[in-house]
Amino acid sequence: MVEITESKRANTALQASEAKLRSILENTPSVISLIDRRGTTLFINRSLSGRSAMTLIGCDLTAYLTPEQPAQLNAALTAAFEQGESSQFDAIGIGRTQLTAHYEVYVAPVRNTSAIEAAIVIAIDITVRKQAETALRKREAQLLLALEAGKIVCWEHDLVSQQVSCIGEHKAADQWLPTNWQVSEAAYLELIHPDDRERVQQAFQATLSGLSNFEDLHRLNFLDQSVWVLGK
């Protein structure tokens, strides 16, 4: 008669651990897969395209995730299996609503006791972030067009770092450049004509004190000439 109590306990604990891991993998919003050196899928936790995840076993990773640059997948596989290093790239694939989605993909080696046996691939849906970035770039382009049309410089004064950041730049009375530039507060004050500098500083301090909104007509020095600007 063989005592198997400890063996049963170990088996029960193993089953509980596997059930917990399975629950985590099935409910995580990320796509998690294991691939071999050729990029063949050995395991995948979910399919966002509506297909059964089992139908993707044995498929190439690019069947459901396509790198934005083709060479990125091979580079990631080489880094994982040859150098034992993790890497990251952006990819596109089918989203939850069958539309194209954007993913941030992480590839890392999976080691056993003696060698690297597979690579884990974690794909995080970043479609909403990509859409927000695209909308932001569009708004920035529209702002730049408006600033250029009015030859306006938009500036932001960081009171903590004492840096002045500007969009647009006056090079002369009739020349406006669509550039982003940053200078220290002291350097920016040096651009103001000496005869106007004290008045501008006083107006700015009054704004910081909440006494009034900043508005001043003054000159800025560029190279060997001055440009009149209305600061608000």
Side-chain angles (χ1 to χ4, degrees):
M1 192 170 187
V2 181
E3 174 62 55
I4 61 171
T5 303
E6 289 301 323
S7 177
K8 280 194 170 184
R9 286 177 180 171
N11 188 55
T12 300
L14 178 60
Q15 290 177 344
S17 178
E18 289 177 344
K20 185 182 296 185
L21 177 59
R22 186 163 50 251
S23 178
I24 292 172
L25 291 174
E26 289 175 351
N27 291 285
T28 182
S30 302
V31 176
I32 301 175
S33 58
L34 286 177
I35 59 174
D36 64 14
R37 291 175 179 268
R38 294 169 297 185
T40 303
T41 303
L42 306 175
F43 163 83
I44 186 168
N45 68 324
R46 63 167 59 247
S47 167
L48 295 180
S49 65
R51 297 170 59 184
S52 167
M54 291 299 296
T55 65
L56 297 177
I57 303 298
C59 293
D60 191 88
L61 177 68
T62 55
Y64 50 93
L65 286 172
T66 305
E68 291 186 352
Q69 299 178 18
Q72 290 176 316
L73 177 57
N74 287 333
L77 291 175
T78 299
F81 287 100
E82 303 301 330
Q83 286 92 45
E85 298 176 351
S86 302
S87 57
Q88 179 270 329
F89 58 85
D90 288 346
I92 57 174
I94 301 299
R96 295 177 184 274
T97 58
Q98 299 293 315
L99 300 176
T100 299
H102 294 270
Y103 294 90
E104 192 168 65
V105 181
Y106 296 87
V107 181
V110 176
R111 297 177 173 86
N112 58 24
T113 55
S114 60
I116 296 171
E117 61 179 12
I120 186 171
V121 179
I122 301 175
I124 302 171
D125 192 332
I126 58 169
T127 305
V128 173
R129 190 181 82 189
K130 284 282 189 179
Q131 291 172 341
E133 290 173 351
T134 299
L136 178 61
R137 286 194 295 271
K138 183 177 180 180
R139 287 196 296 270
E140 288 177 342
Q142 292 171 339
L143 172 62
L144 198 59
L145 284 174
L147 295 177
E148 184 175 7
K151 289 185 168 54
I152 298 169
V153 173
C154 182
W155 57 274
E156 179 179 315
H157 191 160
D158 190 322
L159 301 178
V160 177
S161 66
Q162 295 188 334
Q163 294 289 311
V164 179
S165 303
C166 300
I167 303 175
E169 183 176 7
H170 290 294
K171 282 297 185 183
D174 59 347
Q175 186 180 13
W176 183 96
L177 299 179
T179 55
N180 295 336
W181 53 289
Q182 185 179 70
V183 293
S184 67
E185 178 183 302
Y188 187 79
L189 289 174
E190 286 297 318
L191 291 175
I192 301 174
H193 193 282
D195 293 344
D196 303 333
R197 192 172 299 149
E198 183 178 354
R199 187 186 69 253
V200 172
Q201 287 180 286
Q202 291 175 348
F204 184 66
Q205 289 302 320
T207 300
L208 292 181
S209 301
L211 299 177
S212 63
N213 293 328
F214 179 82
E215 181 171 339
D216 189 87
L217 181 65
H218 54 272
R219 290 161 288 182
L220 294 179
N221 295 325
F222 295 100
L223 299 177
D224 57 349
Q225 57 185 311
S226 296
V227 177
W228 282 96
V229 298
L230 175 62
K232 290 188 175 182

